[in-house]
Coordinates of all heavy atoms in Angstrom, one line a residue:
F1 N 96.1 122.8 102.5 CA 96.8 123.9 103.0 C 97.5 124.7 101.8 O 97.5 124.2 100.8 CB 97.8 123.5 104.1 CG 96.9 123.0 105.3 CD1 96.9 121.5 105.4 CD2 96.1 123.7 106.1 CE1 96.1 120.9 106.5 CE2 95.4 123.1 107.1 CZ 95.4 121.8 107.2
E2 N 98.1 125.7 102.2 CA 98.7 126.6 101.1 C 99.7 125.8 100.3 O 99.9 126.1 99.1 CB 99.3 127.8 101.7 CG 98.2 128.8 102.1 CD 98.8 130.0 102.7 OE1 100.0 130.3 102.7 OE2 98.0 130.7 103.4
D3 N 100.5 124.8 100.9 CA 101.4 124.2 100.2 C 100.9 122.9 99.4 O 101.6 122.1 98.8 CB 102.6 123.6 101.1 CG 102.0 122.7 102.2 OD1 100.8 122.5 102.3 OD2 102.8 122.3 103.1
G4 N 99.6 122.8 99.4 CA 98.9 121.7 98.6 C 98.9 120.4 99.4 O 98.5 119.4 98.8
Y5 N 99.2 120.4 100.7 CA 99.2 119.2 101.5 C 98.0 119.1 102.3 O 97.3 120.1 102.6 CB 100.3 119.1 102.4 CG 101.6 118.6 101.6 CD1 102.3 119.5 100.7 CD2 102.1 117.4 101.7 CE1 103.4 119.0 99.9 CE2 103.2 116.9 101.0 CZ 103.9 117.8 100.1 OH 104.9 117.3 99.4
Q6 N 97.6 117.9 102.8 CA 96.4 117.7 103.6 C 96.9 116.5 104.6 O 97.8 115.8 104.5 CB 95.2 117.2 102.8 CG 94.2 118.3 102.5 CD 93.6 118.9 103.8 OE1 93.7 118.3 104.8 NE2 93.0 120.1 103.6
W7 N 96.0 116.3 105.6 CA 96.2 115.2 106.6 C 95.2 114.0 106.3 O 94.0 114.4 106.0 CB 95.9 115.9 108.0 CG 97.1 116.6 108.4 CD1 97.2 118.0 108.4 CD2 98.2 116.2 109.0 NE1 98.4 118.5 108.9 CE2 99.0 117.4 109.2 CE3 98.8 114.9 109.3 CZ2 100.4 117.3 109.8 CZ3 100.0 114.9 109.9 CH2 100.7 116.0 110.2
F8 N 95.8 112.9 106.4 CA 95.0 111.7 106.2 C 95.2 110.6 107.3 O 96.3 110.6 108.0 CB 95.5 111.0 104.9 CG 95.4 111.9 103.7 CD1 96.5 112.7 103.3 CD2 94.2 111.9 102.9 CE1 96.4 113.6 102.2 CE2 94.1 112.7 101.8 CZ 95.1 113.6 101.4
Y9 N 94.2 109.9 107.6 CA 94.3 108.7 108.5 C 94.0 107.4 107.7 O 93.2 107.4 106.8 CB 93.5 108.8 109.7 CG 91.9 109.0 109.5 CD1 91.1 107.8 109.6 CD2 91.3 110.2 109.2 CE1 89.8 107.9 109.3 CE2 90.0 110.3 108.9 CZ 89.2 109.2 109.1 OH 87.8 109.2 108.9
E10 N 94.5 106.3 108.3 CA 94.4 105.0 107.6 C 93.0 104.4 107.6 O 92.4 104.5 108.7 CB 95.3 104.1 108.4 CG 95.4 102.7 107.9 CD 96.4 101.9 108.9 OE1 96.6 102.2 110.0 OE2 97.0 100.9 108.4
G11 N 92.5 103.9 106.6 CA 91.3 103.1 106.5 C 91.7 101.8 105.9 O 92.8 101.4 105.8
K12 N 90.6 101.0 105.6 CA 90.9 99.7 105.0 C 91.2 100.0 103.6 O 90.4 100.5 102.8 CB 89.5 98.8 105.1 CG 89.8 97.4 104.8 CD 88.4 96.6 104.9 CE 87.4 97.1 105.9 NZ 86.1 97.1 105.2
N13 N 92.4 99.5 103.1 CA 92.8 99.7 101.8 C 92.8 101.1 101.3 O 92.3 101.3 100.2 CB 91.9 98.8 100.8 CG 91.9 97.4 101.2 OD1 93.0 96.8 101.5 ND2 90.8 96.7 101.1
G14 N 93.1 102.0 102.1 CA 93.3 103.4 101.6 C 93.3 104.4 102.7 O 93.4 104.0 103.9
W15 N 93.3 105.7 102.3 CA 93.4 106.7 103.3 C 92.1 107.6 103.2 O 91.5 107.9 102.2 CB 94.6 107.6 102.9 CG 95.9 106.8 103.0 CD1 96.5 106.1 102.1 CD2 96.7 106.8 104.2 NE1 97.7 105.6 102.6 CE2 97.8 106.0 103.9 CE3 96.6 107.3 105.5 CZ2 98.8 105.7 104.9 CZ3 97.6 107.1 106.5 CH2 98.7 106.2 106.1
W16 N 91.7 108.0 104.4 CA 90.7 109.0 104.6 C 91.3 110.3 104.9 O 92.2 110.5 105.7 CB 89.8 108.8 105.8 CG 89.0 107.4 105.6 CD1 89.2 106.2 106.1 CD2 87.7 107.3 104.9 NE1 88.3 105.3 105.8 CE2 87.3 105.9 105.0 CE3 86.9 108.1 104.2 CZ2 86.1 105.5 104.5 CZ3 85.7 107.8 103.7 CH2 85.4 106.4 103.8
Q17 N 90.7 111.4 104.3 CA 91.2 112.8 104.7 C 90.5 113.2 106.0 O 89.3 112.8 106.1 CB 90.8 113.7 103.5 CG 91.4 115.1 103.7 CD 91.1 115.9 102.5 OE1 91.6 115.6 101.3 NE2 90.5 117.1 102.6
Y18 N 91.2 113.8 106.9 CA 90.5 114.3 108.1 C 89.5 115.5 107.7 O 89.7 116.2 106.7 CB 91.6 115.0 109.0 CG 92.4 114.0 109.9 CD1 93.5 113.4 109.4 CD2 92.0 113.7 111.1 CE1 94.2 112.5 110.1 CE2 92.7 112.9 112.0 CZ 93.8 112.2 111.5 OH 94.5 111.3 112.2
D19 N 88.5 115.6 108.6 CA 87.6 116.7 108.4 C 88.3 118.1 108.5 O 89.4 118.1 109.2 CB 86.5 116.6 109.4 CG 86.9 116.9 110.8 OD1 86.9 118.0 111.2 OD2 87.3 115.9 111.6
E20 N 87.7 119.2 108.1 CA 88.3 120.4 108.0 C 88.9 120.9 109.3 O 89.9 121.3 109.6 CB 87.4 121.4 107.4 CG 87.9 122.9 107.2 CD 89.2 122.9 106.3 OE1 89.3 122.1 105.4 OE2 89.9 123.9 106.4
R21 N 88.0 120.8 110.4 CA 88.3 121.3 111.7 C 89.5 120.6 112.3 O 90.5 121.3 112.8 CB 87.0 121.1 112.7 CG 87.4 121.6 114.1 CD 86.2 121.3 115.1 NE 85.8 119.9 115.1 CZ 86.5 119.0 115.8 NH1 87.5 119.3 116.6 NH2 86.0 117.8 116.0
T22 N 89.5 119.3 112.2 CA 90.5 118.5 112.7 C 91.8 118.6 112.0 O 92.9 118.7 112.6 CB 90.1 117.0 112.8 OG1 88.9 116.9 113.4 CG2 91.2 116.2 113.6
S23 N 91.7 118.8 110.7 CA 92.8 119.1 109.8 C 93.6 120.4 110.3 O 94.8 120.5 110.3 CB 92.5 119.3 108.4 OG 91.9 118.1 107.9
V24 N 92.8 121.5 110.6 CA 93.4 122.7 110.9 C 94.1 122.6 112.3 O 95.2 123.1 112.5 CB 92.2 123.8 111.0 CG1 92.8 125.0 111.7 CG2 91.8 124.2 109.6
E25 N 93.5 121.8 113.2 CA 94.2 121.6 114.5 C 95.5 120.8 114.4 O 96.4 121.2 114.9 CB 93.2 120.8 115.4 CG 92.1 121.7 115.9 CD 91.0 120.9 116.7 OE1 91.2 119.7 117.0 OE2 90.1 121.6 117.2
L26 N 95.4 119.8 113.5 CA 96.7 119.1 113.2 C 97.8 119.9 112.7 O 98.9 119.9 113.0 CB 96.4 117.9 112.3 CG 95.7 116.6 112.8 CD1 95.1 115.8 111.8 CD2 96.6 115.8 113.7
E27 N 97.3 120.7 111.6 CA 98.4 121.6 110.9 C 98.9 122.6 111.8 O 100.2 122.8 111.8 CB 97.7 122.1 109.7 CG 98.6 122.9 108.8 CD 99.7 122.1 108.1 OE1 99.6 120.9 108.1 OE2 100.5 122.7 107.4
N28 N 98.1 123.2 112.6 CA 98.6 124.3 113.5 C 99.6 123.6 114.5 O 100.7 124.3 114.7 CB 97.4 124.9 114.3 CG 96.6 125.9 113.4 OD1 97.0 126.2 112.3 ND2 95.4 126.1 113.9
S29 N 99.3 122.5 115.0 CA 100.2 121.9 116.1 C 101.5 121.5 115.3 O 102.6 121.7 115.8 CB 99.4 120.6 116.7 OG 100.2 120.0 117.5
Y30 N 101.3 120.8 114.1 CA 102.4 120.4 113.4 C 103.4 121.6 113.1 O 104.6 121.5 113.2 CB 102.0 119.7 112.1 CG 103.0 119.2 111.2 CD1 103.7 118.0 111.4 CD2 103.3 119.9 110.0 CE1 104.8 117.6 110.5 CE2 104.3 119.4 109.2 CZ 104.9 118.3 109.4 OH 105.9 117.9 108.6
Q31 N 102.8 122.7 112.6 CA 103.6 123.8 112.2 C 104.4 124.6 113.4 O 105.4 125.1 113.2 CB 102.8 124.8 111.5 CG 102.2 124.3 110.1 CD 103.4 124.0 109.1 OE1 104.5 124.5 109.2 NE2 103.0 123.3 108.0
K32 N 103.7 124.3 114.6 CA 104.4 124.8 115.8 C 105.5 123.9 116.2 O 106.3 124.3 117.2 CB 103.3 124.9 116.9 CG 102.5 126.2 116.9 CD 101.7 126.4 118.1 CE 100.3 125.9 118.0 NZ 99.5 126.1 119.2
G33 N 105.7 122.7 115.6 CA 106.8 121.9 116.0 C 106.4 121.0 117.1 O 107.3 120.4 117.7
E34 N 105.1 120.9 117.5 CA 104.7 120.1 118.6 C 104.9 118.6 118.3 O 104.9 118.2 117.1 CB 103.3 120.4 119.1 CG 103.2 121.8 119.6 CD 101.7 122.2 119.8 OE1 100.8 121.5 119.5 OE2 101.5 123.4 120.4
K35 N 105.1 117.8 119.3 CA 105.3 116.3 119.1 C 104.0 115.5 119.0 O 103.9 114.5 118.4 CB 106.2 115.7 120.3 CG 107.5 116.2 120.1 CD 108.5 115.4 121.1 CE 109.9 115.8 120.8 NZ 110.8 115.7 122.0
M36 N 103.1 116.1 119.7 CA 101.7 115.6 119.5 C 100.6 116.5 119.6 O 100.8 117.6 120.0 CB 101.6 114.4 120.5 CG 102.1 114.6 121.9 SD 102.1 113.1 122.9 CE 103.1 112.1 121.9
C37 N 99.4 116.0 119.3 CA 98.2 116.9 119.3 C 97.0 116.1 119.7 O 96.8 115.0 119.2 CB 98.1 117.3 117.8 SG 96.6 118.4 117.6
Q38 N 96.2 116.7 120.7 CA 95.0 116.0 121.1 C 93.9 116.4 120.3 O 93.8 117.5 119.9 CB 94.8 116.5 122.6 CG 93.9 115.5 123.3 CD 94.0 115.9 124.9 OE1 94.9 115.5 125.6 NE2 93.0 116.6 125.3
L39 N 93.2 115.4 119.9 CA 91.9 115.6 119.0 C 90.7 115.0 119.6 O 90.8 114.0 120.3 CB 92.3 114.8 117.7 CG 93.6 115.2 116.9 CD1 93.7 114.2 115.7 CD2 93.5 116.5 116.4
L40 N 89.6 115.7 119.4 CA 88.4 115.2 119.8 C 87.6 114.7 118.4 O 87.3 115.5 117.5 CB 87.5 116.3 120.4 CG 86.2 115.8 120.9 CD1 86.3 114.8 122.1 CD2 85.4 117.0 121.5
I41 N 87.4 113.4 118.4 CA 86.8 112.8 117.2 C 85.6 112.0 117.6 O 85.7 110.9 118.3 CB 87.8 111.9 116.5 CG1 89.0 112.8 115.9 CG2 87.2 111.3 115.3 CD1 90.2 112.0 115.5
A42 N 84.4 112.4 117.2 CA 83.1 111.7 117.4 C 83.1 111.4 118.9 O 82.7 110.2 119.3 CB 83.2 110.4 116.5
G43 N 83.3 112.3 119.7 CA 83.1 112.1 121.2 C 84.3 111.5 121.9 O 84.2 111.4 123.1
F44 N 85.3 111.1 121.1 CA 86.5 110.4 121.9 C 87.7 111.3 121.7 O 87.9 112.0 120.7 CB 86.7 109.0 121.3 CG 85.6 108.1 121.5 CD1 84.6 107.8 120.5 CD2 85.6 107.4 122.7 CE1 83.6 106.8 120.8 CE2 84.6 106.4 123.0 CZ 83.6 106.2 122.1
I45 N 88.6 111.2 122.7 CA 89.9 111.9 122.7 C 90.9 110.9 122.0 O 91.0 109.8 122.4 CB 90.3 112.3 124.0 CG1 89.4 113.4 124.6 CG2 91.8 113.0 123.9 CD1 89.6 113.8 126.0
Y46 N 91.6 111.5 121.0 CA 92.7 110.7 120.3 C 94.0 111.6 120.5 O 93.8 112.8 120.5 CB 92.4 110.5 118.9 CG 91.3 109.5 118.5 CD1 90.0 109.9 118.7 CD2 91.7 108.3 118.1 CE1 89.0 108.9 118.4 CE2 90.7 107.3 117.8 CZ 89.3 107.6 117.9 OH 88.3 106.7 117.7
V47 N 95.0 110.9 120.4 CA 96.3 111.7 120.4 C 97.0 111.4 119.0 O 97.2 110.2 118.6 CB 97.3 111.3 121.5 CG1 98.6 112.0 121.3 CG2 96.6 111.6 122.8
A48 N 97.3 112.4 118.3 CA 98.1 112.3 117.1 C 99.5 112.5 117.5 O 99.9 113.5 118.1 CB 97.7 113.3 116.0
D49 N 100.3 111.5 117.1 CA 101.8 111.6 117.5 C 102.6 111.7 116.2 O 102.6 110.9 115.3 CB 102.1 110.1 118.0 CG 103.6 109.9 118.4 OD1 104.4 110.7 117.7 OD2 103.8 109.2 119.3
F50 N 103.2 112.9 116.1 CA 103.9 113.3 114.8 C 105.1 112.6 114.7 O 105.8 112.7 113.6 CB 104.1 114.8 114.8 CG 102.8 115.6 114.7 CD1 102.5 116.6 115.7 CD2 101.9 115.4 113.8 CE1 101.3 117.3 115.7 CE2 100.6 116.1 113.7 CZ 100.3 117.0 114.7
E51 N 105.7 111.9 115.7 CA 107.0 111.1 115.4 C 106.6 109.8 115.0 O 107.3 109.3 113.9 CB 107.7 111.1 116.8 CG 108.3 112.5 117.2 CD 109.1 112.6 118.5 OE1 108.9 111.7 119.3 OE2 110.0 113.5 118.6
A52 N 105.7 109.1 115.6 CA 105.3 107.8 115.1 C 104.4 107.8 113.9 O 104.2 107.0 113.2 CB 104.6 107.0 116.2
M53 N 103.8 109.1 113.7 CA 102.8 109.3 112.6 C 101.6 108.3 112.8 O 101.3 107.5 111.9 CB 103.4 109.2 111.2 CG 104.2 110.5 111.0 SD 103.3 112.1 111.1 CE 102.8 112.3 109.4
I54 N 101.0 108.3 114.0 CA 99.8 107.6 114.2 C 98.9 108.4 115.1 O 99.3 109.4 115.7 CB 100.1 106.3 115.1 CG1 100.9 106.6 116.4 CG2 100.9 105.2 114.3 CD1 101.0 105.5 117.4
Q55 N 97.6 108.0 115.0 CA 96.6 108.6 116.0 C 96.2 107.3 116.9 O 96.0 106.2 116.4 CB 95.4 109.2 115.3 CG 94.6 108.2 114.5 CD 93.2 108.7 114.3 OE1 93.0 109.8 113.7 NE2 92.1 107.9 114.5
V56 N 96.0 107.6 118.2 CA 95.7 106.6 119.1 C 94.5 107.1 120.0 O 94.6 108.3 120.5 CB 96.8 106.2 119.9 CG1 96.4 105.0 120.9 CG2 98.1 105.9 119.1
R57 N 93.5 106.2 120.3 CA 92.5 106.7 121.1 C 93.0 106.7 122.5 O 93.7 105.7 122.9 CB 91.3 105.8 121.0 CG 90.0 106.4 121.7 CD 88.8 105.6 121.8 NE 88.1 105.4 120.5 CZ 87.0 104.6 120.4 NH1 86.4 104.2 121.5 NH2 86.3 104.6 119.3
Q58 N 92.8 107.8 123.2 CA 93.5 108.0 124.6 C 93.2 106.9 125.5 O 94.2 106.5 126.2 CB 92.8 109.3 125.2 CG 93.4 109.6 126.5 CD 93.7 111.1 126.7 OE1 94.7 111.7 126.3 NE2 92.8 111.8 127.2
N59 N 92.0 106.4 125.7 CA 91.7 105.3 126.7 C 91.7 103.9 126.1 O 91.3 103.0 126.8 CB 90.5 105.6 127.5 CG 90.7 106.9 128.3 OD1 91.8 107.1 128.9 ND2 89.8 107.8 128.3
D60 N 92.2 103.8 124.9 CA 92.2 102.5 124.2 C 93.3 102.4 123.2 O 93.1 102.7 122.0 CB 90.9 102.3 123.6 CG 90.8 100.8 123.0 OD1 91.8 100.1 123.0 OD2 89.7 100.4 122.6
P61 N 94.5 102.1 123.6 CA 95.7 102.2 122.7 C 95.7 101.1 121.6 O 96.4 101.2 120.6 CB 96.9 101.8 123.6 CG 96.4 102.0 124.9 CD 94.9 101.8 124.9
S62 N 94.7 100.2 121.7 CA 94.6 99.3 120.6 C 93.9 100.0 119.4 O 94.0 99.4 118.2 CB 93.7 98.1 121.0 OG 92.4 98.4 121.1
R63 N 93.2 101.1 119.5 CA 92.7 101.9 118.4 C 93.7 102.8 117.9 O 93.7 104.0 118.2 CB 91.5 102.6 118.9 CG 90.4 101.6 119.3 CD 89.1 102.1 119.8 NE 88.1 101.3 120.1 CZ 87.1 100.8 119.1 NH1 87.2 101.2 117.9 NH2 86.3 99.9 119.5
R64 N 94.4 102.3 117.0 CA 95.6 103.0 116.5 C 95.6 102.9 114.9 O 95.3 102.0 114.4 CB 96.8 102.2 117.0 CG 98.2 102.5 116.3 CD 99.2 101.5 116.9 NE 99.2 101.7 118.4 CZ 100.3 102.0 119.1 NH1 101.4 102.4 118.5 NH2 100.2 102.1 120.3
R65 N 95.8 104.1 114.3 CA 95.8 104.2 112.9 C 97.1 105.0 112.5 O 97.4 106.0 113.2 CB 94.6 104.9 112.4 CG 93.3 104.1 112.6 CD 92.1 105.1 112.3 NE 90.9 104.4 112.6 CZ 90.1 103.7 111.8 NH1 90.5 103.6 110.6 NH2 89.1 103.0 112.2
K66 N 97.6 104.6 111.4 CA 98.6 105.5 110.7 C 98.0 106.7 110.3 O 96.9 106.8 109.9 CB 99.3 104.8 109.6 CG 100.0 103.5 109.9 CD 100.7 102.9 108.7 CE 101.4 101.6 109.0 NZ 101.7 100.8 107.9
I67 N 98.8 107.8 110.3 CA 98.4 109.1 109.8 C 99.5 109.6 108.8 O 100.6 109.1 108.8 CB 98.1 110.1 110.8 CG1 99.4 110.6 111.6 CG2 97.0 109.7 111.7 CD1 99.1 111.7 112.5
K68 N 99.2 110.4 107.9 CA 100.2 111.0 107.1 C 99.8 112.4 106.6 O 98.6 112.8 106.5 CB 100.5 110.2 105.8 CG 99.4 110.0 104.8 CD 99.9 109.2 103.6 CE 98.9 109.0 102.7 NZ 99.4 108.4 101.4
R69 N 100.8 113.2 106.3 CA 100.5 114.6 105.7 C 101.0 114.3 104.2 O 102.2 114.1 104.0 CB 101.4 115.6 106.4 CG 101.1 117.0 105.9 CD 102.0 118.0 106.7 NE 101.6 119.4 106.4 CZ 102.1 120.1 105.5 NH1 103.0 119.6 104.6 NH2 101.8 121.4 105.3
D70 N 100.1 114.4 103.3 CA 100.5 114.2 101.9 C 99.8 115.1 101.0 O 98.9 115.9 101.4 CB 100.1 112.7 101.6 CG 100.9 112.1 100.5 OD1 101.6 112.8 99.7 OD2 100.8 110.8 100.3
L71 N 100.0 115.0 99.8 CA 99.4 115.9 98.8 C 98.0 115.7 98.8 O 97.4 114.7 98.8 CB 100.0 115.7 97.4 CG 101.5 116.1 97.1 CD1 102.0 115.6 95.8 CD2 101.5 117.6 97.2
A72 N 97.3 116.9 98.7 CA 95.8 116.8 98.7 C 95.1 116.1 97.6 O 94.1 115.6 97.6 CB 95.3 118.3 98.7
T73 N 95.9 115.9 96.6 CA 95.5 115.3 95.3 C 95.7 113.7 95.2 O 95.3 113.1 94.3 CB 96.4 115.8 94.0 OG1 97.7 115.8 94.4 CG2 96.0 117.3 93.8
I74 N 96.2 113.2 96.3 CA 96.3 111.7 96.3 C 95.0 111.0 96.3 O 94.0 111.6 96.6 CB 97.1 111.1 97.5 CG1 96.3 111.5 98.8 CG2 98.5 111.7 97.6 CD1 96.7 110.5 99.9
Q75 N 95.0 109.8 95.8 CA 93.8 109.0 95.8 C 93.4 108.8 97.2 O 94.2 108.4 98.1 CB 94.3 107.6 95.1 CG 93.2 106.5 95.3 CD 92.1 106.6 94.3 OE1 92.3 107.4 93.4 NE2 91.1 105.8 94.4
K76 N 92.2 109.0 97.6 CA 91.6 108.8 98.9 C 90.3 108.2 98.9 O 89.5 108.2 97.8 CB 91.6 110.2 99.6 CG 90.7 111.2 99.0 CD 90.8 112.5 99.7 CE 89.9 113.5 98.9 NZ 90.5 115.0 98.9
K77 N 89.8 107.6 100.0 CA 88.6 107.0 100.1 C 87.4 108.0 100.3 O 86.3 107.9 99.8 CB 88.5 106.1 101.4 CG 89.5 104.9 101.3 CD 89.3 103.9 102.4 CE 88.1 103.1 102.0 NZ 88.1 101.9 103.0
G78 N 87.7 109.3 100.9 CA 86.8 110.2 101.0 C 87.3 111.1 102.2 O 88.4 111.1 102.6
V79 N 86.3 111.8 102.9 CA 86.7 112.7 104.0 C 85.9 112.3 105.2 O 84.7 112.3 105.2 CB 86.3 114.2 103.6 CG1 86.7 115.1 104.7 CG2 87.0 114.6 102.4
A80 N 86.7 112.0 106.3 CA 86.2 111.6 107.5 C 84.9 110.6 107.5 O 83.9 110.8 108.2 CB 85.7 112.9 108.2
G81 N 85.2 109.6 106.7 CA 84.1 108.5 106.6 C 83.1 108.7 105.6 O 82.4 107.9 105.4
L82 N 83.0 109.9 104.9 CA 82.2 110.2 103.9 C 82.8 109.8 102.6 O 83.7 110.4 102.1 CB 81.7 111.6 103.8 CG 80.8 112.1 105.0 CD1 80.4 113.5 104.8 CD2 79.5 111.3 105.1
R83 N 82.3 108.7 101.9 CA 83.0 108.1 100.8 C 82.9 109.1 99.6 O 81.8 109.9 99.4 CB 82.3 106.8 100.3 CG 82.9 105.6 101.2 CD 82.4 104.4 100.5 NE 83.1 103.3 101.2 CZ 84.3 102.9 100.8 NH1 84.9 103.5 99.8 NH2 84.9 102.0 101.3
Q84 N 84.0 109.1 98.8 CA 84.1 110.0 97.6 C 83.1 109.3 96.5 O 83.0 108.2 96.4 CB 85.5 109.8 97.0 CG 86.0 111.0 96.3 CD 87.4 111.2 96.6 OE1 87.8 112.2 97.2 NE2 88.2 110.3 96.1
V85 N 82.3 110.2 95.9 CA 81.4 109.8 94.9 C 82.0 109.7 93.5 O 83.1 110.3 93.4 CB 80.1 110.6 94.8 CG1 79.3 110.3 96.1 CG2 80.4 112.1 94.7
Ligands
V3L1 N1 88.2 111.0 111.7 C1 86.9 110.5 111.7 N2 86.5 109.3 112.1 C2 87.5 108.6 112.7 C3 88.8 109.0 112.8 C4 89.1 110.3 112.2 N3 90.3 110.8 112.4 N4 89.5 108.1 113.5 C5 88.7 107.0 113.7 N5 87.4 107.4 113.3 P1 89.1 103.6 115.9 P2 87.2 101.7 106.3 C6 86.7 105.1 110.1 C7 86.2 106.5 113.3 O1 90.4 103.9 115.3 O2 86.0 101.2 105.5 C8 86.4 105.8 108.7 O3 86.2 107.3 108.9 C9 86.4 105.3 112.5 O4 86.0 105.7 111.1 O5 89.1 102.1 116.1 O6 87.7 100.8 107.4 C10 85.2 105.2 108.4 O7 84.0 105.9 108.7 C11 85.6 104.2 113.0 O8 84.3 104.3 112.6 O9 88.8 104.4 117.2 O10 88.2 102.4 105.5 C12 85.2 103.8 109.1 O11 86.4 103.8 109.9 C13 85.6 104.6 114.5 O12 86.0 106.0 114.6 C14 85.3 102.6 108.1 O13 86.4 102.9 107.2 C15 86.5 103.9 115.4 O14 87.9 103.9 115.0

């Protein structure tokens, strides 16, 4: 985004950047000061909780990952499951 930040979710030993569409949804919601944001990811509904800074699958709370808003330049695994080359 304009301030040089991006949205990330937790992977094994690192962070994945969210895909562009989902990042924009997260950022819009976050900038509006909302507490959470509903996301559609690969056919499943997840809720991003900006207080706990986690995403959770709506019908399976065991599917929980940390999220963060951090500098776009941090070390990352890739974008939305596509590994960085
Ligand atoms: N964006 C894209 N895919 C996601 C997201 C998201 N925000 N959240 C979950 N998935 P769960 P390593 C991840 C995928 O949380 O090797 C990565 O993107 C998730 O994909 O249990 O562990 C990689 O593709 C997983 O395939 O609901 O770091 C993959 O894991 C599936 O949804 C392996 O990454 C279930 O996640």
Side-chain angles (χ1 to χ4, degrees):
F1 299 99
E2 282 174 21
D3 60 1
Y5 281 74
Q6 261 299 343
W7 285 95
F8 300 91
Y9 62 93
E10 181 183 26
K12 195 184 328 136
N13 304 316
W15 295 90
W16 293 100
Q17 190 175 304
Y18 278 86
D19 71 85
E20 179 66 20
R21 176 185 61 82
T22 310
S23 298
V24 168
E25 287 175 1
L26 282 166
E27 184 69 6
N28 288 343
S29 177
Y30 176 79
Q31 293 298 345
K32 279 192 259 179
E34 293 173 353
K35 288 190 171 154
M36 40 189 63
C37 175
Q38 202 166 278
L39 305 171
L40 184 63
I41 297 168
F44 293 97
I45 297 173
Y46 289 75
V47 174
D49 178 331
F50 296 126
E51 290 181 335
M53 287 301 271
I54 52 167
Q55 65 160 53
V56 186
R57 197 188 281 187
Q58 179 143 277
N59 293 316
D60 186 351
S62 73
R63 293 182 177 270
R64 163 186 307 243
R65 293 169 187 264
K66 292 180 185 169
I67 65 173
K68 66 173 180 174
R69 186 179 190 276
D70 202 348
L71 288 171
T73 52
I74 64 157
Q75 171 83 7
K76 64 189 174 209
K77 300 189 77 169
V79 179
L82 292 179
R83 281 191 167 272
Q84 211 147 245
V85 287

